[in-house]
Amino acid sequence: MYAIVEVMRFKHIIIFQNPKSTNAEKVKQKIALIKKMYGKKNVTILQTSAQGDEENQNILEKHAQLLGTSTLLCVAAGDGTTHGIIQALLSSKELQNVRSTPVLPIWGGNANDLAVMLNGSDTNNIEYIIEQGKLVKIYPLKCVVKKSKSIKTYLATNYLSFGASAKIAHKINSPEHRKSRLHKYIGGKRLQELITGAKALFSTSVAKIKTKAGRRKTMFESIYANGPRMARLSSLPIELTDKAFYQITIPSNKFFSVLQKFLHLFTHHFDKKSIKQTHPISFIAESDIYVQFDGEAELIRSGSEVTIAIHESPFYSISTM
């Protein structure tokens, strides 16, 4: 009589874990399940660095020999960390031979937009996702910012936005917000987010831009979504696996203009003409403006040339949707 040997889909699992993420405790249960499935010797746990994306990329590069199509790279953190890992995988020269490594986010953060788009709401059925989920190819958004001799390229898996929402993200990620005393109380975190968000919203100025055709426009908020969900808002009329993105722009900070556009989003009254294919969008910022990439905010200086397009190379993930 022969023993039945179960052949696992992956030879190795790497789990990039942020021990301070919003759902760090819940993630520990999933890590335990993965270790049970694959055995401790076939699971490598890497912890994120407090120094940010650059150091996380260095950590990933040091383990490049473990990466590849036979390894699953799980990210036990939020969208910001996942964004950084995917950016490193697609841009690092040290990782160019292992770019096809599948990446699986496992609901470690707050919004968990990418995890939800790929595999629904937080679930403990991690075994089924890993072994039965289909391999999918996703093209992230690419934002190139040129200023004098400086050229920076940013990727966004879920969405990128300019203006009010980006400034809100910047303020919420600031030490001042994170150290608020309200966080100690039940419901205090949400209340502080509302206070910080409101202050940032009402202090956001309308930005000035010049299009490639030379037309001058104003921008209070401009959103480019790569899939059906962004910042917990679902049902945008586009799929994550589409090689396209959805755009919505609010030109002024007039109350009714802003209210109309956000009601437009929340009531699912979408303009299908706002779905853009691979044709890039370019403009020159004529005033300073905040931009966020999957919740990670940066300040773009006046005079910068900005181009938004679909990235030429995809990353891979596992999906049951």
Side-chain angles (χ1 to χ4, degrees):
M1 185 174 181
Y2 297 96
I4 297 174
V5 178
E6 184 178 5
V7 179
M8 305 303 284
R9 182 177 187 176
F10 297 100
K11 292 181 180 178
H12 200 89
I13 306 286
I14 293 178
I15 301 174
F16 222 105
Q17 181 187 16
N18 180 358
K20 295 184 179 180
S21 63
T22 306
N23 288 308
E25 288 303 314
K26 291 174 70 175
V27 162
K28 287 180 181 179
Q29 299 171 14
K30 296 178 179 62
I31 293 174
L33 285 170
I34 292 170
K35 285 181 177 179
K36 187 177 179 181
M37 285 174 68
Y38 280 86
K40 291 182 180 180
K41 66 177 183 179
N42 297 317
V43 178
T44 300
I45 308 290
L46 305 176
Q47 288 203 344
T48 58
S49 170
Q51 296 177 42
D53 288 343
E54 188 174 339
E55 184 56 32
N56 287 337
Q57 178 173 318
N58 290 336
I59 294 170
L60 202 58
E61 288 172 350
K62 289 175 183 177
H63 293 82
Q65 74 280 4
L66 294 175
L67 299 173
T69 54
S70 62
T71 295
L72 179 63
L73 177 56
C74 295
V75 185
D79 286 309
T81 303
T82 305
H83 158 267
I85 296 299
I86 293 170
Q87 171 117 5
L89 202 58
L90 292 183
S91 61
S92 168
K93 291 181 180 179
E94 301 295 325
L95 302 173
Q96 61 183 344
N97 294 326
V98 292
R99 301 208 198 284
S100 55
T101 305
V103 179
L104 180 66
I106 51 175
W107 303 278
N110 192 6
N112 299 308
D113 288 327
L114 183 57
V116 172
M117 286 189 283
L118 288 167
N119 294 298
S121 299
D122 190 358
T123 174
N124 283 322
N125 198 10
I126 196 73
E127 303 103 316
Y128 177 80
I129 292 170
I130 292 175
E131 289 301 312
Q132 302 299 323
K134 60 184 177 182
L135 187 69
V136 293
K137 183 165 59 174
I138 300 163
Y139 288 86
L141 290 167
K142 178 175 72 172
C143 180
V144 180
V145 180
K146 297 179 182 178
K147 173 70 171 171
S148 300
K149 295 182 179 180
S150 170
I151 301 176
K152 291 184 178 181
T153 299
Y154 303 92
L155 301 184
T157 305
N158 311 332
Y159 66 95
L160 63 87
S161 71
F162 297 85
S165 64
K167 187 172 182 180
I168 291 170
H170 168 71
K171 292 295 184 181
I172 286 177
N173 289 333
S174 69
E176 181 185 359
H177 172 83
R178 292 180 180 274
K179 292 178 181 178
S180 169
R181 293 180 180 179
L182 283 176
H183 290 183
K184 298 177 182 179
Y185 305 102
I186 296 173
K189 184 177 180 181
R190 293 290 184 207
L191 178 59
Q192 185 60 61
E193 285 180 353
L194 286 171
I195 294 169
T196 301
K199 285 182 178 178
L201 180 66
F202 290 112
S203 67
T204 300
S205 301
V206 175
K208 296 177 181 179
I209 65 169
K210 184 170 72 173
T211 67
K212 200 172 183 180
R215 292 177 59 194
R216 282 184 162 81
K217 294 184 175 183
T218 57
M219 178 198 295
F220 179 69
E221 174 73 9
S222 193
I223 300 166
Y224 302 85
N226 197 39
R229 176 183 164 102
M230 50 167 246
R232 298 187 187 142
L233 172 65
S234 297
S235 299
L236 289 169
I238 189 169
E239 294 301 321
L240 186 62
T241 51
D242 290 345
K243 203 173 179 182
F245 57 88
Y246 181 84
Q247 179 189 6
I248 182 169
T249 298
I250 304 173
S252 79
N253 60 351
K254 292 180 180 178
F255 177 77
F256 287 107
S257 175
V258 175
L259 181 64
Q260 181 185 23
K261 285 290 185 179
F262 278 99
L263 284 174
H264 166 93
L265 278 173
F266 282 101
T267 56
H268 303 169
H269 292 142
F270 302 109
D271 178 8
K272 293 295 180 73
K273 293 179 182 178
S274 294
I275 297 177
K276 309 292 182 182
Q277 299 299 324
T278 54
H279 184 69
I281 294 171
S282 297
F283 62 85
I284 295 172
E286 294 192 321
S287 56
D288 291 353
I289 185 171
Y290 279 101
V291 59
Q292 65 166 331
F293 310 95
D294 299 330
E296 301 298 302
E298 298 278 346
L299 181 64
I300 291 179
R301 294 296 184 182
S302 177
S304 298
E305 181 183 346
V306 179
T307 302
I308 302 151
I310 298 292
H311 193 264
E312 57 275 8
S313 301
F315 73 95
Y316 296 84
S317 191
I318 302 294
S319 177
T320 54
M321 301 298 281

